[in-house]
Coordinates of all heavy atoms in Angstrom, one line a residue:
M264 N 168.4 53.6 183.8 CA 168.2 53.3 182.3 C 169.6 53.4 181.6 O 169.8 52.8 180.6 CB 167.2 54.3 181.7 CG 166.4 53.7 180.5 SD 165.6 52.2 180.9 CE 165.3 51.5 179.3
E265 N 170.5 54.2 182.2 CA 171.8 54.3 181.5 C 172.5 52.9 181.4 O 173.1 52.6 180.4 CB 172.7 55.2 182.3 CG 172.7 56.6 181.8 CD 173.4 57.6 182.8 OE1 174.5 57.2 183.2 OE2 172.9 58.7 183.0
K266 N 172.4 52.1 182.5 CA 173.0 50.8 182.5 C 172.4 49.9 181.4 O 173.1 49.2 180.8 CB 172.8 50.1 183.8 CG 174.0 50.1 184.7 CD 173.6 49.6 186.1 CE 174.7 48.7 186.7 NZ 174.2 48.1 187.9
A267 N 171.1 50.0 181.2 CA 170.4 49.2 180.3 C 170.9 49.5 178.9 O 171.1 48.6 178.0 CB 168.9 49.4 180.4
E268 N 171.0 50.8 178.6 CA 171.5 51.2 177.3 C 172.9 50.7 177.1 O 173.3 50.3 176.0 CB 171.4 52.7 177.2 CG 170.0 53.2 176.8 CD 169.8 54.7 177.1 OE1 170.8 55.4 177.1 OE2 168.6 55.1 177.2
G269 N 173.7 50.8 178.1 CA 175.1 50.3 178.0 C 175.1 48.8 177.6 O 175.9 48.4 176.8
A270 N 174.3 48.0 178.2 CA 174.3 46.6 177.9 C 173.9 46.3 176.5 O 174.5 45.5 175.8 CB 173.3 45.9 178.8
L271 N 173.0 47.1 176.0 CA 172.5 46.9 174.6 C 173.6 47.4 173.6 O 174.0 46.7 172.7 CB 171.3 47.7 174.3 CG 170.5 47.4 173.0 CD1 170.2 45.9 172.9 CD2 169.3 48.2 172.9
A272 N 174.3 48.5 173.9 CA 175.3 49.0 173.1 C 176.5 48.0 173.0 O 177.1 47.9 172.0 CB 175.8 50.4 173.6
A273 N 176.7 47.4 174.1 CA 177.9 46.4 174.2 C 177.5 45.1 173.5 O 178.4 44.2 173.4 CB 178.2 46.2 175.6
G274 N 176.3 45.0 173.0 CA 175.9 43.8 172.3 C 175.7 42.6 173.2 O 175.9 41.4 172.8
S275 N 175.5 42.8 174.5 CA 175.4 41.7 175.5 C 174.0 41.1 175.6 O 173.8 40.2 176.3 CB 176.0 42.1 176.8 OG 175.3 43.3 177.3
V276 N 173.0 41.7 174.9 CA 171.7 41.2 174.9 C 171.6 40.2 173.7 O 172.0 40.6 172.6 CB 170.6 42.3 174.7 CG1 169.2 41.6 174.6 CG2 170.6 43.2 175.9
K277 N 171.3 39.0 174.0 CA 171.2 38.0 172.9 C 169.9 37.3 172.7 O 169.3 36.9 173.7 CB 172.3 36.9 173.1 CG 173.7 37.5 173.1 CD 174.8 36.4 173.0 CE 175.1 35.7 174.3 NZ 176.2 34.7 174.2
L278 N 169.4 37.2 171.5 CA 168.2 36.5 171.2 C 168.5 35.2 170.6 O 169.2 35.2 169.5 CB 167.3 37.4 170.3 CG 166.1 36.7 169.7 CD1 165.1 36.2 170.8 CD2 165.3 37.6 168.8
H279 N 168.2 34.1 171.2 CA 168.4 32.8 170.7 C 167.1 32.3 170.1 O 166.1 32.2 170.8 CB 168.9 31.8 171.8 CG 170.0 32.4 172.6 ND1 171.3 32.0 172.4 CD2 170.1 33.3 173.6 CE1 172.1 32.7 173.2 NE2 171.4 33.5 173.9
L280 N 167.2 31.9 168.8 CA 166.0 31.4 168.2 C 166.2 29.9 167.8 O 167.1 29.5 167.1 CB 165.8 32.2 166.9 CG 164.6 31.8 166.0 CD1 163.3 32.1 166.8 CD2 164.6 32.6 164.7
F281 N 165.3 29.1 168.4 CA 165.4 27.6 168.2 C 164.5 27.2 167.1 O 163.4 27.5 167.1 CB 165.1 26.9 169.5 CG 166.2 27.2 170.6 CD1 166.1 28.3 171.4 CD2 167.3 26.4 170.7 CE1 167.0 28.6 172.4 CE2 168.3 26.6 171.6 CZ 168.1 27.7 172.5
Q282 N 165.1 26.4 166.2 CA 164.4 26.0 165.0 C 164.4 24.5 165.0 O 165.3 23.8 165.4 CB 165.1 26.5 163.7 CG 165.2 28.0 163.6 CD 163.8 28.6 163.3 OE1 162.8 28.1 163.5 NE2 163.9 29.9 162.8
P283 N 163.3 23.8 164.4 CA 162.2 24.5 163.7 C 161.1 25.0 164.6 O 160.1 25.6 164.0 CB 161.7 23.3 162.8 CG 162.0 22.1 163.6 CD 163.2 22.4 164.4
S284 N 161.1 24.9 165.9 CA 159.9 25.3 166.7 C 159.7 26.8 166.7 O 158.6 27.3 166.9 CB 160.1 24.8 168.1 OG 161.1 25.5 168.7
G285 N 160.8 27.6 166.5 CA 160.6 29.0 166.5 C 160.6 29.6 168.0 O 160.3 30.8 168.2
R286 N 160.9 28.7 168.9 CA 161.0 29.1 170.3 C 162.1 30.2 170.5 O 163.2 30.0 170.0 CB 161.3 27.9 171.1 CG 160.7 27.9 172.5 CD 160.6 26.5 173.1 NE 161.2 25.4 172.4 CZ 161.1 24.1 172.8 NH1 160.3 23.9 173.8 NH2 161.7 23.2 172.2
K287 N 161.8 31.2 171.3 CA 162.8 32.2 171.6 C 163.3 32.2 173.0 O 162.5 32.0 173.9 CB 162.2 33.6 171.2 CG 162.0 33.8 169.8 CD 161.3 35.2 169.6 CE 160.9 35.4 168.1 NZ 160.1 36.6 168.0
L288 N 164.5 32.6 173.2 CA 165.1 32.6 174.5 C 166.1 33.8 174.5 O 166.9 33.9 173.7 CB 165.8 31.3 174.8 CG 166.1 30.9 176.2 CD1 166.1 29.4 176.3 CD2 167.5 31.4 176.5
W289 N 165.9 34.7 175.5 CA 166.7 35.9 175.7 C 167.8 35.7 176.8 O 167.4 35.1 177.8 CB 165.9 37.1 176.0 CG 165.0 37.5 175.0 CD1 163.7 37.1 174.7 CD2 165.2 38.5 174.0 NE1 163.2 37.8 173.7 CE2 164.1 38.7 173.2 CE3 166.3 39.4 173.7 CZ2 164.0 39.6 172.1 CZ3 166.3 40.2 172.6 CH2 165.1 40.3 171.9
T290 N 169.0 36.1 176.5 CA 169.9 36.1 177.6 C 170.7 37.5 177.6 O 170.7 38.1 176.5 CB 171.0 35.0 177.5 OG1 171.7 35.2 176.3 CG2 170.4 33.6 177.5
V291 N 171.2 37.8 178.7 CA 172.0 39.0 178.8 C 173.3 38.6 179.5 O 173.3 38.0 180.5 CB 171.3 40.2 179.6 CG1 172.3 41.4 179.7 CG2 170.0 40.6 179.0
V292 N 174.4 39.0 178.9 CA 175.7 38.7 179.4 C 176.1 39.8 180.4 O 176.2 41.0 180.0 CB 176.8 38.5 178.4 CG1 178.1 38.2 179.0 CG2 176.4 37.4 177.4
G293 N 176.2 39.5 181.7 CA 176.5 40.5 182.7 C 177.9 40.2 183.2 O 178.6 39.4 182.7
K294 N 178.3 41.0 184.2 CA 179.7 40.9 184.6 C 180.0 39.6 185.3 O 181.1 39.1 185.4 CB 180.1 42.1 185.5 CG 179.2 42.3 186.7 CD 179.7 43.6 187.5 CE 179.0 43.7 188.8 NZ 177.5 43.8 188.7
E295 N 178.9 38.9 185.9 CA 179.2 37.7 186.6 C 178.7 36.4 185.8 O 178.7 35.3 186.3 CB 178.5 37.7 187.9 CG 179.3 38.6 188.9 CD 178.5 38.8 190.2 OE1 177.9 37.8 190.7 OE2 178.4 39.9 190.7
G296 N 178.3 36.6 184.6 CA 177.8 35.5 183.8 C 176.7 35.8 182.9 O 176.4 37.0 182.6
E297 N 176.1 34.8 182.3 CA 175.0 35.0 181.4 C 173.7 34.7 182.0 O 173.6 33.7 182.7 CB 175.2 34.1 180.2 CG 174.3 34.3 179.0 CD 174.7 33.7 177.7 OE1 175.7 32.9 177.8 OE2 174.1 33.9 176.7
Y298 N 172.8 35.6 181.9 CA 171.5 35.5 182.6 C 170.4 35.2 181.6 O 170.3 35.7 180.5 CB 171.2 36.7 183.4 CG 172.3 37.1 184.4 CD1 173.0 38.2 184.2 CD2 172.6 36.2 185.4 CE1 174.0 38.5 185.1 CE2 173.6 36.5 186.2 CZ 174.4 37.6 186.1 OH 175.4 37.9 186.9
W299 N 169.4 34.4 182.1 CA 168.3 34.0 181.3 C 167.2 35.0 181.6 O 166.8 35.2 182.8 CB 167.9 32.6 181.6 CG 166.6 32.2 181.0 CD1 166.0 32.7 179.9 CD2 165.6 31.2 181.5 NE1 164.8 32.1 179.6 CE2 164.5 31.2 180.6 CE3 165.7 30.4 182.7 CZ2 163.5 30.3 180.9 CZ3 164.6 29.6 182.9 CH2 163.5 29.5 182.0
V300 N 166.6 35.7 180.6 CA 165.6 36.7 180.8 C 164.3 36.3 180.1 O 164.4 35.9 178.9 CB 166.0 38.1 180.3 CG1 164.9 39.1 180.5 CG2 167.3 38.5 181.1
D301 N 163.2 36.3 180.8 CA 161.9 36.0 180.1 C 161.1 37.3 180.2 O 160.6 37.7 181.2 CB 161.2 34.9 180.7 CG 159.9 34.5 179.9 OD1 159.3 35.5 179.4 OD2 159.6 33.4 179.9
P302 N 161.1 38.1 179.1 CA 160.4 39.4 179.1 C 158.9 39.3 179.4 O 158.3 40.3 179.9 CB 160.8 40.1 177.8 CG 161.1 38.9 176.9 CD 161.7 37.8 177.8
E303 N 158.3 38.2 178.9 CA 156.9 38.1 179.1 C 156.5 37.9 180.6 O 155.5 38.4 181.1 CB 156.3 37.0 178.3 CG 156.2 37.4 176.8 CD 155.9 36.2 175.9 OE1 155.3 35.2 176.4 OE2 156.3 36.3 174.8
L304 N 157.4 37.2 181.3 CA 157.1 36.9 182.7 C 157.9 38.0 183.6 O 157.8 37.9 184.8 CB 157.6 35.5 183.1 CG 157.0 34.4 182.4 CD1 157.7 33.1 182.8 CD2 155.5 34.3 182.7
S305 N 158.6 38.8 182.9 CA 159.5 39.8 183.6 C 160.4 39.0 184.6 O 160.5 39.4 185.8 CB 158.7 40.9 184.4 OG 158.3 41.8 183.4
F306 N 161.0 37.9 184.1 CA 161.8 37.1 184.9 C 163.3 37.2 184.5 O 163.6 37.3 183.3 CB 161.4 35.6 184.8 CG 162.4 34.6 185.4 CD1 162.5 34.4 186.7 CD2 163.3 34.0 184.5 CE1 163.4 33.5 187.2 CE2 164.3 33.2 185.0 CZ 164.3 32.9 186.4
C307 N 164.2 37.2 185.5 CA 165.6 37.1 185.1 C 166.3 36.2 186.1 O 165.8 36.1 187.3 CB 166.2 38.5 185.2 SG 168.0 38.6 184.9
S308 N 167.3 35.5 185.7 CA 168.0 34.5 186.6 C 169.1 35.2 187.4 O 169.9 34.4 188.0 CB 168.5 33.3 185.8 OG 169.5 33.7 184.9
C309 N 169.2 36.5 187.4 CA 170.4 37.1 188.2 C 170.1 37.3 189.6 O 168.9 37.1 190.1 CB 170.8 38.4 187.5 SG 169.7 39.8 188.0
K310 N 171.1 37.6 190.4 CA 171.0 37.8 191.8 C 170.1 39.0 192.2 O 169.4 39.0 193.2 CB 172.4 38.1 192.4 CG 172.9 36.9 193.3 CD 174.1 37.4 194.0 CE 175.4 37.2 193.2 NZ 176.6 37.3 193.9
D311 N 170.3 40.1 191.4 CA 169.5 41.3 191.7 C 168.0 41.0 191.6 O 167.2 41.5 192.4 CB 169.7 42.4 190.6 CG 171.0 43.2 191.0 OD1 171.6 42.9 192.1 OD2 171.4 44.0 190.2
Y312 N 167.6 40.2 190.6 CA 166.2 39.8 190.5 C 165.8 39.1 191.7 O 164.7 39.3 192.3 CB 166.0 39.0 189.2 CG 164.6 38.6 189.0 CD1 163.7 39.4 188.4 CD2 164.2 37.3 189.5 CE1 162.3 39.0 188.3 CE2 162.8 37.0 189.4 CZ 161.9 37.8 188.8 OH 160.6 37.4 188.6
Y313 N 166.5 38.1 192.1 CA 166.2 37.2 193.2 C 166.1 38.0 194.5 O 165.2 37.8 195.3 CB 167.3 36.1 193.3 CG 166.9 35.0 194.2 CD1 166.1 34.0 193.8 CD2 167.4 35.0 195.5 CE1 165.7 33.0 194.6 CE2 167.0 33.9 196.4 CZ 166.2 32.9 195.9 OH 165.9 31.9 196.8
F314 N 167.0 38.9 194.7 CA 167.1 39.6 196.0 C 166.3 40.9 196.0 O 165.8 41.3 197.1 CB 168.5 39.8 196.5 CG 169.2 38.6 196.9 CD1 170.2 38.1 196.1 CD2 168.8 37.8 198.0 CE1 170.9 36.9 196.4 CE2 169.4 36.7 198.3 CZ 170.4 36.2 197.6
A315 N 166.2 41.6 194.9 CA 165.5 42.9 194.9 C 164.2 42.9 194.1 O 163.1 43.2 194.7 CB 166.4 43.9 194.2
T316 N 164.2 42.4 192.9 CA 162.9 42.5 192.1 C 161.8 41.7 192.7 O 160.7 42.1 192.9 CB 163.2 42.0 190.7 OG1 164.3 42.7 190.1 CG2 162.0 42.3 189.8
L317 N 162.1 40.5 193.2 CA 161.1 39.6 193.8 C 160.6 40.1 195.1 O 159.5 39.8 195.5 CB 161.7 38.2 194.1 CG 161.7 37.2 192.9 CD1 162.2 35.9 193.4 CD2 160.3 37.1 192.2
S318 N 161.3 41.0 195.8 CA 160.8 41.5 197.0 C 160.3 43.0 196.8 O 160.4 43.8 197.7 CB 161.8 41.5 198.2 OG 163.1 41.8 197.7
G319 N 159.8 43.2 195.6 CA 159.1 44.5 195.3 C 159.9 45.6 194.7 O 159.5 46.7 194.6
G320 N 161.2 45.3 194.4 CA 162.0 46.3 193.8 C 161.8 46.4 192.3 O 160.9 45.8 191.8
A321 N 162.5 47.3 191.7 CA 162.4 47.5 190.3 C 163.0 46.3 189.5 O 163.8 45.6 190.1 CB 163.2 48.8 189.9
P322 N 162.5 46.2 188.3 CA 163.1 45.1 187.4 C 164.6 45.3 187.3 O 165.1 46.5 187.3 CB 162.4 45.3 186.1 CG 161.2 46.2 186.3 CD 161.5 47.0 187.6
C323 N 165.4 44.3 187.3 CA 166.8 44.4 187.1 C 167.1 45.0 185.7 O 166.3 45.0 184.8 CB 167.5 43.1 187.3 SG 167.1 41.9 186.1
Y324 N 168.4 45.4 185.5 CA 168.7 46.1 184.2 C 168.7 45.1 183.1 O 168.6 45.5 181.9 CB 169.9 46.9 184.3 CG 171.2 46.3 184.1 CD1 171.8 46.2 182.8 CD2 172.0 45.7 185.2 CE1 173.1 45.7 182.6 CE2 173.2 45.1 184.9 CZ 173.7 45.1 183.7 OH 174.9 44.5 183.4
H325 N 168.8 43.8 183.4 CA 168.8 42.8 182.3 C 167.4 42.8 181.6 O 167.3 42.7 180.4 CB 169.2 41.4 182.8 CG 170.4 41.4 183.6 ND1 170.4 41.1 185.0 CD2 171.7 41.6 183.3 CE1 171.7 41.2 185.4 NE2 172.5 41.5 184.4
I326 N 166.4 42.8 182.5 CA 165.0 42.8 182.0 C 164.8 44.1 181.1 O 164.2 44.0 180.0 CB 164.0 42.7 183.1 CG1 164.1 41.3 183.8 CG2 162.6 42.9 182.6 CD1 163.2 41.1 185.0
K327 N 165.2 45.2 181.7 CA 165.1 46.5 181.0 C 165.8 46.4 179.6 O 165.3 46.9 178.6 CB 165.6 47.6 181.8 CG 164.8 47.9 183.0 CD 165.4 49.1 183.7 CE 164.7 49.4 185.1 NZ 165.5 50.3 185.9
S328 N 167.0 45.8 179.6 CA 167.8 45.7 178.4 C 167.1 44.9 177.3 O 167.1 45.3 176.1 CB 169.2 45.1 178.7 OG 169.9 45.8 179.6
V329 N 166.5 43.8 177.8 CA 165.8 42.9 176.8 C 164.6 43.6 176.2 O 164.3 43.6 175.0 CB 165.4 41.6 177.4 CG1 164.4 40.8 176.6 CG2 166.7 40.7 177.7
K330 N 163.8 44.3 177.1 CA 162.6 45.0 176.6 C 163.0 46.1 175.6 O 162.3 46.3 174.6 CB 161.8 45.6 177.8 CG 161.2 44.4 178.6 CD 160.1 44.9 179.6 CE 159.4 43.7 180.1 NZ 158.6 43.9 181.3
K331 N 164.1 46.7 175.9 CA 164.6 47.8 174.9 C 165.0 47.1 173.6 O 164.7 47.7 172.5 CB 165.8 48.5 175.6 CG 166.1 49.8 174.9 CD 167.0 50.6 175.9 CE 167.7 51.7 175.2 NZ 166.9 52.5 174.3
A332 N 165.7 46.0 173.7 CA 166.1 45.3 172.5 C 164.9 44.8 171.7 O 164.9 44.9 170.4 CB 167.0 44.1 172.8
I333 N 163.8 44.4 172.3 CA 162.6 44.0 171.6 C 162.0 45.2 170.9 O 161.6 45.1 169.7 CB 161.6 43.4 172.6 CG1 162.1 42.1 173.1 CG2 160.2 43.3 171.9 CD1 161.3 41.5 174.3
E334 N 162.0 46.4 171.5 CA 161.5 47.6 170.9 C 162.3 48.0 169.7 O 161.8 48.4 168.7 CB 161.5 48.8 171.9 CG 160.4 48.8 172.9 CD 160.6 49.8 174.0 OE1 161.4 50.8 173.8 OE2 160.0 49.7 175.1
E335 N 163.6 47.9 169.8 CA 164.5 48.4 168.8 C 164.8 47.3 167.7 O 165.3 47.6 166.6 CB 165.8 48.9 169.4 CG 165.5 50.1 170.3 CD 166.8 50.7 170.8 OE1 167.9 50.1 170.7 OE2 166.7 51.7 171.5
G336 N 164.5 46.0 168.1 CA 164.8 44.9 167.1 C 166.2 44.5 167.2 O 167.1 45.3 167.4
T337 N 166.4 43.2 167.2 CA 167.8 42.7 167.3 C 167.9 41.4 166.5 O 166.9 40.8 166.2 CB 168.2 42.5 168.8 OG1 169.6 42.1 168.8 CG2 167.3 41.4 169.4
D338 N 169.1 41.1 166.0 CA 169.3 39.9 165.2 C 169.3 38.7 166.1 O 169.8 38.7 167.2 CB 170.6 40.0 164.5 CG 170.7 41.0 163.4 OD1 169.6 41.4 162.9 OD2 171.7 41.6 163.1
A339 N 168.6 37.6 165.6 CA 168.6 36.4 166.4 C 169.7 35.5 166.0 O 170.2 35.5 164.9 CB 167.2 35.7 166.1
L340 N 170.2 34.8 167.0 CA 171.2 33.7 166.8 C 170.4 32.4 166.7 O 169.6 32.1 167.5 CB 172.1 33.6 168.0 CG 172.8 34.9 168.4 CD1 173.4 34.8 169.8 CD2 173.9 35.2 167.4
E341 N 170.6 31.7 165.6 CA 169.8 30.5 165.4 C 170.5 29.2 165.9 O 171.7 29.0 165.8 CB 169.5 30.3 163.9 CG 168.6 31.4 163.4 CD 167.8 31.0 162.1 OE1 167.8 29.8 161.8 OE2 167.3 31.9 161.5
F342 N 169.6 28.4 166.6 CA 170.0 27.2 167.2 C 169.0 26.1 166.8 O 167.9 26.4 166.3 CB 170.1 27.3 168.7 CG 171.1 28.2 169.2 CD1 170.8 29.6 169.4 CD2 172.4 27.8 169.5 CE1 171.8 30.5 169.8 CE2 173.4 28.6 170.0 CZ 173.1 30.0 170.1
S343 N 169.4 24.9 167.0 CA 168.5 23.7 166.7 C 167.7 23.5 168.0 O 168.2 23.7 169.1 CB 169.4 22.5 166.4 OG 168.6 21.4 166.7
D344 N 166.5 23.0 167.8 CA 165.7 22.6 169.0 C 166.4 21.6 169.9 O 166.2 21.6 171.1 CB 164.4 22.0 168.6 CG 163.4 23.1 168.2 OD1 163.5 24.2 168.7 OD2 162.5 22.9 167.4
D345 N 167.3 20.8 169.4 CA 168.0 19.8 170.2 C 168.9 20.5 171.2 O 169.3 19.9 172.2 CB 168.9 19.0 169.3 CG 168.2 18.1 168.3 OD1 167.0 17.9 168.6 OD2 168.7 17.7 167.3
D346 N 169.2 21.8 171.0 CA 170.1 22.5 171.9 C 169.4 23.2 173.0 O 169.9 23.7 173.9 CB 170.9 23.6 171.1 CG 171.8 23.0 170.1 OD1 172.3 21.8 170.3 OD2 172.1 23.6 169.1
Y347 N 168.0 23.2 172.9 CA 167.2 24.0 173.9 C 167.4 23.5 175.3 O 167.7 24.3 176.2 CB 165.7 23.9 173.4 CG 164.8 24.8 174.2 CD1 164.8 26.2 174.0 CD2 164.0 24.3 175.2 CE1 164.0 27.0 174.7 CE2 163.1 25.2 175.9 CZ 163.1 26.5 175.6 OH 162.3 27.3 176.3
V348 N 167.2 22.2 175.6 CA 167.2 21.7 176.9 C 168.7 21.9 177.6 O 168.8 22.4 178.6 CB 166.7 20.3 177.1 CG1 167.0 19.7 178.4 CG2 165.2 20.3 176.8
P349 N 169.7 21.4 176.8 CA 171.1 21.6 177.4 C 171.4 23.1 177.6 O 172.0 23.4 178.6 CB 172.0 21.0 176.3 CG 171.1 20.2 175.4 CD 169.7 20.7 175.6
F350 N 170.9 24.0 176.8 CA 171.1 25.4 176.9 C 170.5 25.9 178.2 O 171.1 26.6 179.0 CB 170.5 26.1 175.7 CG 170.9 27.6 175.6 CD1 172.1 27.9 175.0 CD2 170.1 28.6 176.1 CE1 172.5 29.3 175.0 CE2 170.5 29.9 176.0 CZ 171.7 30.2 175.5
L351 N 169.2 25.5 178.5 CA 168.5 25.9 179.7 C 169.2 25.3 180.9 O 169.3 26.0 182.0 CB 167.1 25.4 179.7 CG 166.0 26.3 179.0 CD1 164.6 25.7 179.2 CD2 166.1 27.7 179.5
Q352 N 169.6 24.1 180.8 CA 170.3 23.4 182.0 C 171.6 24.2 182.3 O 171.9 24.4 183.5 CB 170.6 22.0 181.6 CG 169.4 21.1 181.7 CD 169.6 19.7 181.2 OE1 170.5 19.5 180.4 NE2 168.7 18.8 181.6
A353 N 172.3 24.6 181.3 CA 173.6 25.3 181.6 C 173.3 26.7 182.2 O 174.0 27.1 183.2 CB 174.3 25.6 180.2
L354 N 172.2 27.4 181.8 CA 171.9 28.6 182.4 C 171.4 28.5 183.8 O 171.7 29.2 184.7 CB 170.7 29.3 181.6 CG 171.2 30.0 180.2 CD1 169.9 30.4 179.5 CD2 172.1 31.1 180.4
A355 N 170.6 27.4 184.0 CA 170.1 27.1 185.4 C 171.2 26.8 186.3 O 171.3 27.3 187.5 CB 169.1 26.0 185.4
A356 N 172.2 26.0 185.9 CA 173.3 25.7 186.7 C 174.2 26.9 187.1 O 174.6 27.1 188.2 CB 174.2 24.7 186.0
E357 N 174.3 27.8 186.1 CA 175.0 29.1 186.3 C 174.3 29.9 187.4 O 174.9 30.5 188.3 CB 175.2 29.8 185.0 CG 176.4 30.7 185.0 CD 176.6 31.3 183.6 OE1 176.8 30.5 182.7 OE2 176.6 32.5 183.4
A358 N 172.9 30.0 187.2 CA 172.1 30.8 188.2 C 172.2 30.2 189.6 O 172.4 31.0 190.6 CB 170.7 30.8 187.7
E359 N 172.2 28.9 189.7 CA 172.3 28.3 191.0 C 173.6 28.6 191.6 O 173.7 28.9 192.8 CB 172.1 26.8 190.8 CG 171.7 26.1 192.0 CD 171.8 24.6 191.9 OE1 171.8 24.1 190.7 OE2 171.9 23.9 192.9
S360 N 174.7 28.5 190.9 CA 176.0 28.7 191.5 C 176.2 30.2 191.9 O 176.8 30.5 192.9 CB 177.1 28.2 190.6 OG 177.2 29.0 189.4
A361 N 175.5 31.1 191.2 CA 175.6 32.5 191.5 C 174.9 32.9 192.8 O 175.2 33.8 193.5 CB 175.0 33.4 190.3
L362 N 173.9 32.1 193.1 CA 173.1 32.3 194.4 C 173.7 31.7 195.6 O 173.3 32.0 196.7 CB 171.7 31.8 194.2 CG 170.8 32.6 193.2 CD1 169.5 31.9 193.0 CD2 170.6 34.0 193.6
R363 N 174.7 30.9 195.4 CA 175.4 30.3 196.6 C 176.2 31.3 197.4 O 176.8 32.2 196.8 CB 176.2 29.2 196.2 CG 175.4 27.9 196.1 CD 176.2 26.7 196.0 NE 175.3 25.6 195.5 CZ 175.5 24.9 194.4 NH1 176.6 25.1 193.7 NH2 174.6 24.0 194.0
Ligands
ZN600 ZN1 168.8 40.4 185.9

């Protein structure tokens, strides 16, 4: 849990709010890049999630950080809905290259 608190304190948990749809997207900036976290699905695009969490391990610290940020509340960064797809594509491309 110490690591999760560290991530939040460093301001690396980001809530992106897309308008006008109100769609939310969470990311955590880690040491190797920015990861996409879906707290409802307990999904994260990082390597730890792929190699540990999916094979029965604990949730990675990005997921823990986001859940903590939800509990404590955090300011959202606002974006236009037009940016949603390119944003997801950039995150997916980053996740893909991290797994190589
Ligand atoms: Zn993660």
Side-chain angles (χ1 to χ4, degrees):
M264 211 55 199
E265 268 171 41
K266 256 174 140 184
E268 281 166 17
L271 191 58
S275 53
V276 175
K277 296 196 279 185
L278 170 59
H279 308 258
L280 180 64
F281 292 87
Q282 298 288 20
S284 70
R286 212 157 10 185
K287 289 175 184 172
L288 197 149
W289 292 87
T290 62
V291 177
V292 180
K294 57 182 187 304
E295 287 170 42
E297 188 166 7
Y298 305 114
W299 172 29
V300 177
D301 187 326
E303 283 169 29
L304 300 175
S305 282
F306 166 82
C307 178
S308 65
C309 78
K310 249 193 275 191
D311 278 355
Y312 178 84
Y313 191 80
F314 291 111
T316 311
L317 276 186
S318 39
C323 66
Y324 88 91
H325 309 112
I326 294 174
K327 290 182 189 166
S328 299
V329 168
K330 290 194 169 166
K331 197 161 163 46
I333 292 170
E334 281 170 20
E335 295 183 354
T337 187
D338 292 333
L340 305 164
E341 290 202 19
F342 294 88
S343 155
D344 279 332
D345 294 341
D346 296 328
Y347 188 76
V348 170
F350 191 84
L351 275 187
Q352 283 170 339
L354 286 173
E357 206 170 301
E359 198 191 340
S360 63
L362 290 174
R363 273 192 199 125

